[in-house]
Amino acid sequence: MGVGRRMGKKQGIPDALSEEHFANLKRKKGIPVDEPQSEARSSKKQRTIKKPTKSLKAKDEPAPKKSAKPTNGSKKGTAAVQTNGDKSKKPKAKQVPVPVDSDEEMDDEFDLDEIDGSDLDMEGQELGSDFLDSGSSVYDSDQEEAKREKFVFSDDEDDDEDREEKLTAANIEGLSRKLDMQLEEEAAENEAELREDALQTNIDGDKPEVFGDDEDELSKSKGLLAPDLQMLRTRITETIRVLEDFSNLAEEDRSRAEYTSQLLKDICAYYGYNEFLAEKLWNLFPPREAFAFFEANESARPLVIRTNTLRTHRRDLAQALINRGVTVEPVGKWSKVGLQVFDSNVPIGATPEYLAGHYILQAASSFLPVMALCPQEGERCLDMAAAPGGKTTHMAALMKNTGVIFANDPSKQRAKGLIGNIHRLGVRNTVVCNYDAREFPKVIGGFDRVLLDAPCTGTGVISKDPSVKTNRDEKDFMTLPHTQKQLILAAIDSVNHASKTGGYLVYSTCSCCVEENEQVVQYALSRRPNVRLVDTGLPFGKEGFTSYMGKEFHPSLKLTRRFYPHLYNVDGFFVAKFQKIAPTPPNAVRANGNAEKSAQSFAAETEVIDKTPITEDNDEQEDEFGGFDDEDDQDYILRAKRNAMRRRGLDPRALNYKGSKKEKDGKKGGKEVKEDKVGEKQEAAKVEKKTEKTEKKQEKESKEAKKEKKAGKK
């Protein structure tokens, strides 16, 4: 015998013997079999022979025998066999399972030669000519199973062969393009489905439930658990999407104000702001940009150091820090002295280079005011709020330790840190002073350039000081802008308009609010018509507001620059640059808020002082002894004082302010002054009468003496 039919297959656990198996054995031995079993057997034959009857028709055709095995026909045949078998075995389907390999086991255990001829004839009569490949009357189920397996696996094999035939060197590029096109189409379809799903969630009843119960919101905001934070974030994003396309995505009977108020509540709960500050910052941006601004405030800005060019160069400093394990890169093309620190194995504030004054830790946004001021060598500059000294030392580095810098700070404690940085960085042209900056025009003036980094609410540096979220309220936004307005007027008065190289003032804050920036600049332009805004010269930044919440500002405010953390990855900052083109007018409001004399009174006073008639002086000089006039002398003294103040850069009208007080005091005691004058006139008249009497007596005596002399001679 040859190799068995099951040698190529794995041997497994044999299936349980069925009743049909025993019925076949009984038939071979001539033992009678029950009728239901024979019916089942006949039904099995009908089931297994159903397919060859169809293929017999294909045999009569002129085509070869082996060509009659199409895959489609095989599939149909197997399907028909299964349906017929199920119908015939409905009563015993549960009790008698029909294993697939039952016939194979029978053929392996018993040889076909042992079967009687009668049985073969009977089977041949029943089967007839249903066999395709041979004329024998023996039916072997293995052949059908082989055909089934061949038919089952022929589909995949044919497909693989077709694919192999398609993938050739000639058409591989085209096929790859087709695959790429299919992938792109699938990606586009997926995106379209996502968009449709997103739209459907906001349309036709599937709109996001933005509005909830107030009690639930309060409890969630107090708890602030992780699931609640996720819910708040998703609701914030959904509300922003609704506000961007309000006409299509908004719920019925809901206004934009309701969505905005709900969004502000969610922002306060998610980020920890108070309602007042959240609304003020929200009004500065569109909804999407405001969300990006709040997100940027949650992450820290990169660590930046400024190279001290008085001691080293940026390239040498970078190389020294890299050798110590510090990863640094230039902060950007806009700065030649900044280095951004990404990673460090040593503390940046304690390296030998730091202690030697080669660099200072300073935010990138703090470079901008000094870059806008651009001090020149040999100039006289003022830093009105200098501590801790980053901007002052930057100015000294740009001036190369020439000229003079007055570094003022009203706090003595902060001035100590200022002095320490000045010494460490090797600055030698700076004078440190401790004054209220609002008094500075009286202390000293006539500066070529003035830098005013005014104290502010700090809404641009929330990433450094998160306490701003809850500490700032409406009172701060009233008191601080008032102080800033006083400081900017004092700074303008301290600038020398006649400077050949300067005459500039830079006003900056680390705040993003309009009340501390554009409104203060607008106030300075309205109170000091002798200044104007000029270009800052900074290479980047967003233009300042010319209109905000119904308020209109001067068009030149476009020259100011705003810097945001979500746009430039720097702290929020505002920079404005002024140029003083004329002296301060006499009727201008002073830094302390008091107004000087009116323009008419000042004009009348200048006429009296500056246009005194020369004839009156000549008439007075015709006297023998010349005499002295205190009133005219006071005028000359005042003129000399004003000229001296102009040379020092001070406001000469300050003297008139003092004089106005004296005049007011004089008006109160006007009656007493008049009475004194009347008394003086009366006394002068008495003196004149006495002198006249004495002169008459002397004349009489002289005449009598002459008469006596003449009489004696005779």
Side-chain angles (χ1 to χ4, degrees):
M1 292 180 61
V3 180
R5 287 185 293 274
R6 297 179 63 185
M7 290 295 290
K9 300 180 180 180
K10 289 184 177 181
Q11 294 291 335
I13 301 172
D15 297 334
L17 296 176
S18 61
E19 294 181 1
E20 187 177 1
H21 176 69
F22 291 106
N24 291 331
L25 294 177
K26 288 179 182 180
R27 282 194 206 92
K28 290 179 182 178
K29 297 296 182 180
I31 300 173
V33 184
D34 296 338
E35 292 180 1
Q37 292 179 357
S38 63
E39 290 176 0
R41 182 175 180 275
S42 64
S43 64
K44 179 184 176 182
K45 287 183 180 179
Q46 290 177 1
R47 181 192 64 175
T48 56
I49 295 168
K50 199 77 175 178
K51 183 234 172 194
T53 55
K54 290 186 178 181
S55 62
L56 182 62
K57 296 179 182 180
K59 185 179 178 182
D60 299 335
E61 296 177 358
K65 295 180 182 179
K66 292 182 179 180
S67 63
K69 54 175 183 178
T71 56
N72 294 331
S74 64
K75 290 180 180 177
K76 290 179 181 178
T78 53
V81 169
Q82 292 175 0
T83 54
N84 292 333
D86 295 338
K87 289 179 181 179
S88 61
K89 298 181 77 174
K90 275 183 181 179
K92 294 184 179 180
K94 296 181 180 179
Q95 296 178 0
V96 184
V98 181
V100 179
D101 297 331
S102 62
D103 294 337
E104 291 181 0
E105 294 174 359
M106 180 185 69
D107 292 338
D108 292 339
E109 295 176 1
F110 302 98
D111 241 353
L112 294 175
D113 297 336
E114 298 177 358
I115 301 175
D116 297 337
S118 60
D119 294 333
L120 292 173
D121 294 339
M122 179 183 66
E123 291 176 1
Q125 290 176 1
E126 291 177 0
L127 298 174
S129 60
D130 289 339
F131 293 93
L132 294 174
D133 296 335
S134 63
S136 63
S137 60
V138 179
Y139 171 73
D140 191 359
S141 62
D142 290 337
Q143 295 179 1
E144 185 181 0
E145 289 179 2
K147 290 179 182 179
R148 287 182 187 176
E149 292 176 358
K150 190 173 181 181
F151 293 151
V152 169
F153 293 105
S154 64
D155 294 338
D156 298 335
E157 291 174 358
D158 293 341
D159 293 341
D160 294 337
E161 291 175 359
D162 295 339
R163 289 173 185 170
E164 290 177 359
E165 290 176 359
K166 291 178 181 178
L167 291 174
T168 59
N171 60 1
I172 191 169
E173 294 182 0
L175 291 175
S176 63
R177 291 175 185 172
K178 288 182 180 179
L179 291 174
D180 294 338
M181 293 287 290
Q182 290 177 359
L183 293 174
E184 291 178 359
E185 290 177 358
E186 291 178 358
E189 290 177 358
N190 293 334
E191 291 180 0
E193 290 179 0
L194 291 175
R195 290 176 182 175
E196 290 178 0
D197 294 340
L199 290 174
Q200 288 178 0
T201 55
N202 296 303
I203 300 174
D204 299 334
D206 292 334
K207 298 178 181 179
E209 297 181 359
V210 176
F211 301 96
D213 297 335
D214 295 337
E215 296 179 357
D216 296 341
E217 292 173 2
L218 290 174
S219 62
K220 291 175 183 176
S221 62
K222 290 180 181 178
L224 291 179
L225 300 176
D228 295 337
L229 292 176
Q230 293 177 358
M231 182 270 295
L232 285 174
R233 188 176 181 85
T234 54
R235 189 162 64 181
I236 288 171
T237 55
E238 289 174 355
T239 309
I240 290 171
R241 189 170 64 250
V242 171
L243 291 175
E244 288 179 343
D245 191 6
F246 188 79
S247 59
N248 296 326
L249 303 181
E251 297 179 6
E252 295 181 357
D253 300 333
R254 292 289 186 182
S255 63
R256 181 180 289 272
E258 293 177 348
Y259 278 96
T260 304
S261 62
Q262 181 63 42
L263 180 59
L264 290 175
K265 290 180 182 178
D266 294 340
I267 288 173
C268 294
Y270 188 79
Y271 295 106
Y273 289 83
N274 58 36
E275 293 184 1
F276 174 78
L277 185 60
E279 183 178 3
K280 188 168 288 295
L281 296 176
W282 170 265
N283 292 330
L284 294 174
F285 310 100
R288 184 69 61 182
E289 190 175 356
F291 179 66
F293 175 78
F294 287 118
E295 278 291 309
N297 287 335
E298 299 303 309
S299 59
R301 303 280 78 77
L303 179 62
V304 178
I305 60 176
R306 181 180 60 80
T307 307
N308 181 20
T309 56
L310 295 175
R311 295 192 182 274
T312 185
H313 299 284
R314 184 170 69 171
R315 182 178 299 177
D316 299 336
L317 175 62
Q319 187 62 43
L321 293 176
I322 290 170
N323 293 337
R324 295 189 183 278
V326 183
T327 305
V328 295
E329 284 187 4
V331 72
K333 295 181 179 179
W334 55 272
S335 176
K336 297 181 180 180
V337 294
L339 285 173
Q340 183 175 347
V341 180
F342 293 95
D343 189 15
S344 176
N345 298 328
V346 295
I348 298 298
T351 61
E353 287 78 13
Y354 176 84
L355 299 176
H358 291 183
Y359 66 89
I360 183 174
L361 297 174
Q362 188 176 356
S365 56
S366 297
F367 298 179
L368 303 171
V370 181
M371 292 173 61
L373 185 64
C374 192
Q376 304 297 318
E377 297 180 19
E379 288 186 338
R380 190 182 185 195
C381 301
L382 169 65
D383 189 356
M384 299 185 74
K391 299 179 182 66
T392 302
T393 54
H394 193 185
M395 292 167 61
L398 293 177
M399 297 170 65
K400 298 181 181 179
N401 260 341
T402 61
V404 181
I405 298 175
F406 287 84
N408 178 71
D409 198 87
S411 174
K412 290 185 178 181
Q413 296 297 327
R414 289 171 59 85
K416 294 178 181 179
L418 170 63
I419 295 170
N421 283 325
I422 287 173
H423 285 298
R424 184 174 62 84
L425 296 175
V427 176
R428 298 190 301 272
N429 66 338
T430 301
V431 178
V432 179
C433 49
N434 175 232
Y435 287 101
D436 186 354
R438 290 171 290 187
E439 299 177 359
F440 225 83
K442 297 180 181 179
V443 175
I444 191 171
F447 294 100
D448 297 317
R449 297 174 194 264
V450 175
L451 174 63
L452 173 59
D453 186 19
C456 61
T457 57
T459 54
V461 290
I462 295 176
S463 59
K464 292 182 180 179
D465 186 11
S467 63
V468 176
K469 296 179 181 179
T470 55
N471 292 344
R472 299 302 182 187
D473 54 4
E474 189 174 1
K475 183 179 179 181
D476 295 324
F477 286 90
M478 294 177 65
T479 57
L480 284 172
H482 179 70
T483 304
Q484 290 162 357
K485 291 174 182 177
Q486 292 179 333
L487 289 172
I488 196 170
L489 293 183
I492 292 172
D493 294 340
S494 299
V495 177
N496 182 15
H497 70 281
S499 174
K500 295 180 180 179
T501 59
Y504 295 102
L505 161 69
V506 169
Y507 173 79
S508 63
T509 63
C510 56
S511 174
C512 297
C513 297
V514 176
E515 290 82 359
E516 300 176 84
N517 298 327
E518 280 84 359
Q519 287 189 7
V520 174
V521 173
Q522 178 69 23
Y523 176 83
L525 292 175
S526 62
R527 293 295 185 272
R528 292 291 185 270
N530 58 324
V531 295
R532 63 182 180 184
L533 285 172
V534 294
D535 188 15
T536 58
L538 299 174
F540 67 102
K542 206 170 182 180
E543 293 182 354
F545 290 104
T546 55
S547 62
Y548 173 76
M549 301 289 288
K551 298 179 181 179
E552 297 293 332
F553 302 124
H554 197 272
S556 62
L557 280 167
K558 289 183 177 180
L559 298 174
T560 61
R561 287 293 177 267
R562 283 176 158 267
F563 303 91
Y564 298 117
H566 64 284
L567 294 180
Y568 309 108
N569 199 20
V570 298
D571 293 329
F573 233 77
F574 175 82
V575 178
K577 187 175 183 179
F578 296 88
Q579 183 181 12
K580 189 174 181 180
I581 56 178
T584 302
N587 59 339
V589 176
R590 295 172 59 81
N592 56 8
N594 296 327
E596 296 188 6
K597 293 181 180 180
S598 62
Q600 295 179 355
S601 62
F602 173 74
E605 184 178 345
T606 51
E607 286 179 1
V608 172
I609 294 172
D610 296 334
K611 297 182 179 180
T612 52
I614 299 174
T615 56
E616 293 180 0
D617 295 338
N618 294 334
D619 293 340
E620 292 175 359
Q621 290 178 359
E622 290 178 358
D623 297 337
E624 294 180 359
F625 300 99
F628 296 96
D629 192 348
D630 294 335
E631 294 179 359
D632 293 342
D633 292 342
Q634 288 294 331
D635 294 338
Y636 288 115
I637 292 169
L638 287 175
R639 279 189 210 167
K641 287 183 179 180
R642 290 193 186 97
N643 292 332
M645 292 182 71
R646 288 193 186 96
R647 290 170 193 157
R648 295 172 59 192
L650 298 177
D651 186 8
R653 298 300 104 203
L655 295 173
N656 294 333
Y657 174 72
K658 294 179 181 178
S660 62
K661 284 188 176 180
K662 292 180 180 179
E663 289 179 1
K664 290 179 181 178
D665 295 336
K667 288 180 180 178
K668 291 180 181 179
K671 294 181 180 179
E672 296 177 359
V673 172
K674 289 180 180 179
E675 291 176 358
D676 293 337
K677 290 182 179 179
V678 171
E680 291 176 358
K681 289 181 179 179
Q682 290 178 356
E683 290 178 357
K686 290 179 180 179
V687 171
E688 289 178 356
K689 288 181 180 179
K690 288 181 180 180
T691 53
E692 289 177 358
K693 289 180 179 179
T694 54
E695 288 176 356
K696 288 179 180 179
K697 288 180 180 180
Q698 290 176 359
E699 289 178 357
K700 288 180 180 180
E701 290 176 354
S702 61
K703 288 180 179 178
E704 290 176 355
K706 288 179 180 180
K707 289 179 179 178
E708 289 176 356
K709 287 179 180 181
K710 289 179 180 180
K713 288 178 179 180
K714 293 179 179 179

